[in-house]
Amino acid sequence: MIIVLRPDATNEQVDHIIEKVKKLGLTPHVSRGTERTIIGVIGPEDILRVTPLEVFPGVEKVMPVLAPYKLVSREFKKEASVVNVGKGVKIGGSKIVVMAGPCAIENLTTLSEIAAQIKEAGATVLRGGAFKPRTSPYAFQGLGEEGLKMLKKAGDEFGLATISEVMDPRDVELVASYVDILQIGARNMQNFNLLKEVGLTKKPVLLKRGLSSTVKEMLMSAEYILSGGNFNVILCERGIRTFEDSTRSTGSR
Amino acid sequence: MIIVLRPDATNEQVDHIIEKVKKLGLTPHVSRGTERTIIGVIGPEDILRVTPLEVFPGVEKVMPVLAPYKLVSREFKKEASVVNVGKGVKIGGSKIVVMAGPCAIENLTTLSEIAAQIKEAGATVLRGGAFKPRTSPYAFQGLGEEGLKMLKKAGDEFGLATISEVMDPRDVELVASYVDILQIGARNMQNFNLLKEVGLTKKPVLLKRGLSSTVKEMLMSAEYILSGGNFNVILCERGIRTFEDSTRSTGSR
Amino acid sequence: MIIVLRPDATNEQVDHIIEKVKKLGLTPHVSRGTERTIIGVIGPEDILRVTPLEVFPGVEKVMPVLAPYKLVSREFKKEASVVNVGKGVKIGGSKIVVMAGPCAIENLTTLSEIAAQIKEAGATVLRGGAFKPRTSPYAFQGLGEEGLKMLKKAGDEFGLATISEVMDPRDVELVASYVDILQIGARNMQNFNLLKEVGLTKKPVLLKRGLSSTVKEMLMSAEYILSGGNFNVILCERGIRTFEDSTRSTGSR
Amino acid sequence: MIIVLRPDATNEQVDHIIEKVKKLGLTPHVSRGTERTIIGVIGPEDILRVTPLEVFPGVEKVMPVLAPYKLVSREFKKEASVVNVGKGVKIGGSKIVVMAGPCAIENLTTLSEIAAQIKEAGATVLRGGAFKPRTSPYAFQGLGEEGLKMLKKAGDEFGLATISEVMDPRDVELVASYVDILQIGARNMQNFNLLKEVGLTKKPVLLKRGLSSTVKEMLMSAEYILSGGNFNVILCERGIRTFEDSTRSTGSR
């Protein structure tokens, strides 16, 4: 953590901050320059994160040096993660996995036809929405458990792993009992109670990036799931919302 | 709804679309121009919204004419809405209402001191977080029900209405039993199951704009609450996320 | 062009608009619906673009149907464009062309070394800045004509085509006399006088997308160059500015 | 300037960087922590800005501490600036100045009528476009010098100061000879050659914020003008481009 002082900070103010930092059990390193004095703080940044040093008199800004996440960082785990989702499908290895299927599950006949076709085309995971996040309350909201049953049936019939979205902490157990991968939609990337709930299962979780989320925030949301004990997280980059509307979203896809 | 055809659309394709529109019980108006043929469709747009006309051969784009919301529109209710939140506080009238208080409730003593001060300063609603949406799983998550009890106590003592955030559909009833206004945070603006749940209560709801939400989407989220039977919705513009980081968010506040 | 009327538009207002449209030599098609009346206007949209119909009483919004550009559209020229930049280099065909070189040209020795290396690596165009767009007035502004001479020399020596940025309408002739491709930087994508000036040459122009430009605006800027008589325009997608700062810019590249 | 080293940086790498910093005439302060070593560099940051320390082996990131501008900073000039634009109009003081007028000047009669009306309404500066930045090459490009003459005439007649946009470095002298304030449009905020040219005059300059510009970049553009010797710069916040399209731009407060 770097504390940058204001050009007009008094010696008293500087001393006060140094004292505070030491009290927290951290080691300050003071560098006095011609234009600014800066204080480098060595030690666990987490302690400082919850101490609002910005409000101390004489402080101009506080700049974090370390990333706020741990379990999802390369420093915690150097190797690439491979998530085994069952039915022989592994995500994160050298083989690209294709997931395909209808936006919303409508009936078993159609779903089975689609499953046959995507299998033929090389996909190994069948996706289909049973609980749908609709911007309009008047739109079709999905078949619910009925849809999940169809998804499981079609997946089993064609040897495809399955994935479906869960939107409500109360539904996690139910959805997990039918599918191979739980999907967290973009709108729920920061629905922290939902993240905690899927963190308590051992099911693979596909976490979609929120429309206005930074990469850092996405990693923090993954950290939520990992900190609950579930390390089977798959990140899904689906682009972000920008002023450009000639495509539905902007970014690497 | 306006259907714009491709310059190379055949007569057969145009006829096929017209037929389809008529079957849906709607009236097409065809305008043949030198560069493009367009079809205006008169009748309830909702029917068309769920019919993906864009995939029909010969169609270039489909442009909606009407807004997708009803209950929150000025056409449904011409007058400005005034929400009575209790303790003499009305939001939406000619008097500006100030809500103030700590980000997170920490203890009753501090909260009461704050309540006394904000009252002195002219605020009429006491805010305080008991369930906190934290980007980091390691940050303080709030006191929960204990915090709500303190909020109620401080509000009663100083004659202030109260507001606190609810993040989980399972907590709506609990939070509603302590506070005067339920707050939906920016990150949950499109947590549709939570919106439905608060729509089933009659409690005033303060709906905060999502970081990446358009005004239209915010109105659609309000529509969710109204369509559940709860017309006491207060919209909270808190700015959006943009490339500019010299302020925390961008926009009218 | 579609004119959408307000729900409370009077018959008089509708008649007034129809009359106005007819006077402009265009044909209106009126569709009266239960919720809205809309008027489709057939004929050259350009005439309407400069007529601010939005300010007419009774009008809710005006929606253009056609794209505002002509020369750069697929309707004007169906085939993909191939730009011949000289020294055997063609851009837009089946072969991917790599351009490489230093941000700023510093001296001939270094530039020649770089040219040798990029040639070895498969690049066919040597890039190097002689006039640099610097956000700070105190930063090195480039070697100017001296740099262009070095670029030409290095390009000739290694049989590489050359490209360099032009920032000022007054420098177009000068830069064009040394390089094979004129580069318009992102910050100048809407410097219309500069676009006009390069449009008067026959030199290939590489037009970089502005940080906040839509695809449509980029095409309009290209239209400027083509409308001046120069059809040798190469579009350069370099991403846009968004809230995400983990990469320098966002978007397909 | 803070140099943050990678967790796996070797002692040799650290020493190499320290040596480099010293050679530049600056003083490094090394803080060795458990997770990271950081080097605080004291001295003029400008020297470091042009030295790409990020590419040194062992360096994770370089964080600037000081703002990159000088003349426009509060540290250089503590008091608020007041720009005297003539005809008794001062911008930056306690009185709010209203500028009004037509987007494009069309003829003297209309312009005079408008001038009379805006004066009546309290405005003290007449604005009108003579050179227009048009996204389409086919749109009306303005009356040029003819328009400037009308603007001067109308301004003199009604005792209003005048403002008009200049888009081309070649036109600065011409426009400056007719108007009281030179306007730099949003699209030209980073047209550095234009900024330099207006910096050479003593005319007040109204600098509009670019659609995708940060506040910092806007200040850097102002620095360009001041560094040329012209301290009469007026900043114009006109909002930025975001995903929200219910208003033309987002921001200005």
Side-chain angles (χ1 to χ4, degrees):
Chain A
M1 193 77 75
I2 307 294
I3 305 166
V4 180
L5 300 181
R6 298 167 51 92
D8 57 2
T10 64
N11 284 337
E12 251 177 18
Q13 288 171 342
V14 177
D15 291 346
H16 181 60
I17 294 159
I18 291 172
E19 208 178 305
K20 175 75 188 172
V21 167
K22 283 184 182 163
K23 251 191 208 154
L24 290 167
L26 304 166
T27 313
H29 286 71
V30 185
S31 312
R32 285 178 207 266
T34 44
E35 301 194 59
R36 283 281 194 296
T37 293
I38 58 177
I39 305 175
V41 181
I42 301 301
E45 291 214 339
D46 290 350
I47 300 172
L48 278 177
R49 249 182 254 286
V50 294
T51 312
L53 287 168
E54 287 89 348
V55 302
F56 276 61
V59 174
E60 184 168 298
K61 58 180 166 181
V62 176
M63 300 155 83
V65 168
L66 303 179
Y69 42 80
K70 294 196 181 315
L71 303 176
V72 302
S73 74
R74 283 281 175 189
E75 287 163 41
F76 181 80
K77 180 161 178 291
K78 286 218 181 328
E79 326 77 69
S81 300
V82 176
V83 178
N84 191 335
V85 303
K87 292 194 181 139
V89 181
K90 284 174 186 177
I91 295 173
S94 57
K95 206 173 158 186
I96 288 177
V97 172
V98 176
M99 308 185 180
C103 170
I105 298 164
E106 293 179 6
N107 58 64
L108 185 56
T109 317
T110 311
L111 186 63
S112 294
E113 276 171 30
I114 293 172
Q117 286 180 22
I118 69 158
K119 184 172 181 135
E120 174 79 24
T124 51
V125 183
L126 178 63
R127 105 177 183 156
F131 296 97
K132 298 299 303 172
R134 301 296 194 187
T135 41
S136 167
Y138 311 119
F140 173 54
Q141 307 276 325
L143 293 178
E145 187 170 4
E146 228 28 62
L148 294 173
K149 283 180 185 167
M150 295 174 190
L151 186 64
K152 188 172 166 46
K153 211 162 189 177
D156 285 345
E157 190 184 341
F158 294 93
L160 295 164
T162 55
I163 179 170
S164 197
E165 178 166 354
V166 58
M167 294 168 59
D168 193 312
R170 297 170 294 193
D171 296 333
V172 169
E173 213 179 325
L174 176 80
V175 179
S177 71
Y178 286 105
V179 302
D180 296 306
I181 311 174
L182 293 167
Q183 176 179 323
I184 302 290
R187 290 186 187 82
N188 280 316
M189 198 204 81
Q190 292 197 316
N191 182 338
F192 301 118
N193 288 29
L194 181 60
L195 297 179
K196 276 181 202 161
E197 208 70 46
V198 300
L200 298 175
T201 74
K202 291 282 173 269
K203 276 278 164 188
V205 176
L206 182 118
L207 179 66
K208 291 183 87 172
R209 181 175 184 180
L211 266 75
S212 66
S213 295
T214 61
V215 168
K216 218 177 253 181
E217 287 171 343
M218 196 190 188
L219 292 175
M220 285 307 292
S221 287
E223 184 89 8
Y224 251 95
I225 303 172
L226 269 71
S227 73
N230 186 351
F231 277 59
N232 299 311
V233 175
I234 304 154
L235 299 178
C236 173
E237 167 65 271
R238 41 83 71 219
I240 56 174
R241 175 171 281 182
T242 69
F243 65 81
E244 175 60 80
D245 60 2
S246 70
T247 50
R248 200 177 164 213
S249 60
T250 307
S252 44
R253 264 149 299 172
Chain B
M1 194 77 75
I2 308 294
I3 304 165
V4 179
L5 301 181
R6 299 166 50 91
D8 57 3
T10 64
N11 284 337
E12 252 176 19
Q13 289 171 341
V14 178
D15 292 345
H16 181 60
I17 295 158
I18 292 172
E19 207 177 307
K20 175 74 187 171
V21 167
K22 284 184 180 163
K23 253 192 207 154
L24 290 166
L26 304 165
T27 314
H29 286 71
V30 184
S31 312
R32 286 176 206 266
T34 44
E35 302 193 58
R36 283 285 193 293
T37 294
I38 58 178
I39 305 176
V41 180
I42 301 301
E45 291 213 339
D46 290 350
I47 300 173
L48 276 178
R49 250 182 254 285
V50 295
T51 313
L53 287 168
E54 287 88 347
V55 302
F56 276 62
V59 173
E60 186 169 298
K61 57 180 166 181
V62 176
M63 301 154 83
V65 169
L66 302 180
Y69 42 80
K70 294 195 183 313
L71 302 176
V72 301
S73 73
R74 284 281 175 189
E75 287 164 40
F76 181 80
K77 179 161 177 293
K78 286 216 181 331
E79 327 77 67
S81 299
V82 176
V83 178
N84 191 335
V85 303
K87 294 195 179 136
V89 181
K90 283 175 187 178
I91 295 171
S94 56
K95 206 174 159 186
I96 287 178
V97 173
V98 176
M99 308 185 180
C103 170
I105 297 166
E106 294 179 7
N107 57 64
L108 185 56
T109 317
T110 312
L111 186 64
S112 293
E113 278 171 29
I114 294 171
Q117 286 180 23
I118 69 158
K119 185 172 182 136
E120 174 79 23
T124 50
V125 183
L126 178 64
R127 95 164 193 167
F131 296 98
K132 297 299 304 173
R134 302 295 193 188
T135 40
S136 167
Y138 311 119
F140 173 54
Q141 308 276 324
L143 292 178
E145 186 169 5
E146 228 27 63
L148 294 173
K149 284 180 184 167
M150 295 173 190
L151 186 64
K152 187 172 167 47
K153 213 162 187 175
D156 285 346
E157 190 184 340
F158 295 92
L160 296 164
T162 56
I163 179 170
S164 197
E165 178 165 353
V166 58
M167 293 167 60
D168 193 312
R170 297 169 295 191
D171 296 333
V172 169
E173 212 178 326
L174 176 79
V175 179
S177 71
Y178 286 104
V179 303
D180 295 307
I181 311 174
L182 293 166
Q183 177 180 322
I184 302 290
R187 291 187 187 83
N188 280 316
M189 197 202 83
Q190 293 196 317
N191 182 338
F192 301 119
N193 287 29
L194 181 61
L195 298 179
K196 277 182 201 160
E197 209 69 45
V198 300
L200 297 175
T201 74
K202 291 282 174 270
K203 276 276 164 191
V205 177
L206 181 118
L207 179 67
K208 290 184 86 171
R209 182 175 182 180
L211 266 76
S212 66
S213 295
T214 60
V215 168
K216 217 177 252 182
E217 287 170 344
M218 194 190 190
L219 293 175
M220 284 309 291
S221 287
E223 183 89 8
Y224 252 94
I225 303 172
L226 270 71
S227 72
N230 186 350
F231 277 59
N232 298 311
V233 175
I234 304 154
L235 300 179
C236 174
E237 167 65 89
R238 42 85 69 219
I240 55 174
R241 175 171 280 180
T242 69
F243 65 82
E244 176 60 80
D245 58 3
S246 68
T247 50
R248 199 175 164 215
S249 60
T250 307
S252 43
R253 262 151 301 170
Chain C
M1 194 76 77
I2 307 294
I3 305 165
V4 180
L5 301 181
R6 298 167 51 91
D8 57 2
T10 64
N11 283 338
E12 252 175 19
Q13 289 171 341
V14 178
D15 291 345
H16 181 62
I17 295 158
I18 291 172
E19 208 177 307
K20 175 75 186 171
V21 168
K22 283 183 180 163
K23 252 191 208 155
L24 290 165
L26 304 165
T27 314
H29 285 72
V30 185
S31 311
R32 288 178 205 265
T34 44
E35 303 193 59
R36 283 284 193 295
T37 294
I38 59 178
I39 306 177
V41 180
I42 301 301
E45 291 214 339
D46 290 350
I47 300 172
L48 277 178
R49 251 182 252 284
V50 295
T51 313
L53 288 168
E54 287 89 347
V55 303
F56 275 62
V59 174
E60 184 168 298
K61 57 180 166 181
V62 177
M63 301 154 83
V65 168
L66 301 180
Y69 42 81
K70 294 197 181 313
L71 302 176
V72 302
S73 74
R74 283 283 174 186
E75 287 163 41
F76 181 80
K77 179 162 178 293
K78 286 217 180 335
E79 326 78 68
S81 300
V82 177
V83 178
N84 191 337
V85 303
K87 292 192 180 140
V89 181
K90 284 176 186 176
I91 294 172
S94 56
K95 207 174 159 185
I96 288 177
V97 172
V98 176
M99 307 185 181
C103 170
I105 297 165
E106 294 179 7
N107 56 66
L108 184 57
T109 317
T110 312
L111 187 64
S112 293
E113 278 171 28
I114 293 171
Q117 286 180 21
I118 69 158
K119 185 172 182 133
E120 174 78 24
T124 50
V125 183
L126 177 64
R127 101 174 187 158
F131 296 98
K132 297 298 305 173
R134 301 296 193 187
T135 41
S136 167
Y138 311 119
F140 173 54
Q141 308 275 323
L143 292 177
E145 186 170 4
E146 230 25 65
L148 294 172
K149 284 180 184 167
M150 295 174 189
L151 186 66
K152 187 172 167 47
K153 212 164 188 175
D156 286 345
E157 190 185 340
F158 294 93
L160 296 164
T162 55
I163 179 170
S164 197
E165 178 165 354
V166 59
M167 293 167 60
D168 193 311
R170 297 169 295 190
D171 296 333
V172 169
E173 213 178 325
L174 176 80
V175 180
S177 70
Y178 286 105
V179 303
D180 296 306
I181 311 174
L182 294 167
Q183 177 180 323
I184 302 290
R187 289 187 187 82
N188 280 317
M189 198 203 83
Q190 293 197 316
N191 182 339
F192 301 119
N193 287 30
L194 181 60
L195 298 179
K196 277 181 201 161
E197 209 68 46
V198 299
L200 297 175
T201 75
K202 290 283 174 270
K203 275 276 163 188
V205 177
L206 182 118
L207 179 66
K208 290 182 86 173
R209 181 175 183 181
L211 266 75
S212 66
S213 296
T214 61
V215 168
K216 217 177 252 181
E217 287 170 343
M218 194 189 190
L219 293 174
M220 284 308 291
S221 287
E223 183 89 7
Y224 252 95
I225 303 171
L226 269 71
S227 72
N230 186 350
F231 276 60
N232 298 311
V233 176
I234 304 155
L235 300 179
C236 174
E237 166 65 90
R238 42 84 70 220
I240 55 173
R241 176 170 280 181
T242 69
F243 64 82
E244 176 60 82
D245 60 2
S246 69
T247 50
R248 200 176 163 215
S249 60
T250 307
S252 44
R253 265 150 298 172
Chain D
M1 193 78 76
I2 307 293
I3 305 166
V4 180
L5 300 181
R6 298 167 49 93
D8 57 2
T10 64
N11 284 338
E12 252 175 18
Q13 289 171 342
V14 178
D15 292 344
H16 182 61
I17 295 159
I18 292 172
E19 208 177 306
K20 175 76 187 170
V21 168
K22 284 183 181 164
K23 251 191 210 155
L24 289 166
L26 305 165
T27 313
H29 286 71
V30 184
S31 312
R32 285 177 208 267
T34 44
E35 301 193 60
R36 283 283 193 294
T37 294
I38 59 177
I39 305 176
V41 181
I42 301 300
E45 292 214 338
D46 290 351
I47 300 172
L48 278 177
R49 249 182 254 286
V50 294
T51 313
L53 288 168
E54 287 89 348
V55 302
F56 275 60
V59 174
E60 185 169 298
K61 58 179 166 181
V62 176
M63 301 154 83
V65 168
L66 302 180
Y69 42 79
K70 295 195 183 312
L71 302 176
V72 301
S73 73
R74 284 279 175 190
E75 288 163 41
F76 181 81
K77 179 162 178 292
K78 286 219 182 327
E79 326 78 69
S81 300
V82 177
V83 178
N84 191 335
V85 303
K87 291 190 182 144
V89 181
K90 283 174 187 179
I91 294 172
S94 57
K95 205 173 158 186
I96 288 178
V97 172
V98 175
M99 308 185 180
C103 170
I105 297 165
E106 294 180 4
N107 58 64
L108 184 57
T109 318
T110 311
L111 187 63
S112 294
E113 278 171 29
I114 293 171
Q117 286 180 22
I118 69 159
K119 184 171 181 136
E120 172 80 23
T124 50
V125 183
L126 177 64
R127 97 167 192 164
F131 296 98
K132 297 299 304 171
R134 300 296 194 188
T135 41
S136 167
Y138 310 119
F140 173 55
Q141 308 275 324
L143 292 178
E145 186 170 3
E146 231 23 66
L148 294 172
K149 283 180 185 167
M150 295 174 190
L151 186 63
K152 188 171 165 47
K153 213 164 188 175
D156 286 344
E157 190 184 341
F158 294 93
L160 295 164
T162 56
I163 179 170
S164 196
E165 178 165 353
V166 58
M167 294 167 60
D168 193 311
R170 297 169 294 191
D171 296 333
V172 169
E173 212 178 325
L174 177 79
V175 180
S177 70
Y178 286 105
V179 302
D180 296 306
I181 311 174
L182 293 167
Q183 177 179 322
I184 302 289
R187 289 187 188 82
N188 280 317
M189 197 203 82
Q190 293 197 315
N191 182 339
F192 301 119
N193 289 29
L194 181 60
L195 298 179
K196 276 181 202 163
E197 210 69 47
V198 299
L200 298 175
T201 74
K202 292 281 173 271
K203 276 277 164 189
V205 176
L206 182 118
L207 179 65
K208 291 183 86 172
R209 181 175 185 181
L211 266 75
S212 66
S213 296
T214 60
V215 168
K216 216 177 253 181
E217 287 170 344
M218 195 190 189
L219 292 175
M220 284 308 291
S221 287
E223 183 88 9
Y224 252 95
I225 303 172
L226 269 71
S227 72
N230 186 349
F231 277 59
N232 298 311
V233 175
I234 305 154
L235 300 178
C236 173
E237 166 66 270
R238 41 85 69 220
I240 55 174
R241 175 171 282 181
T242 69
F243 64 82
E244 176 59 81
D245 60 1
S246 71
T247 50
R248 201 179 164 213
S249 60
T250 307
S252 49
R253 274 143 295 170

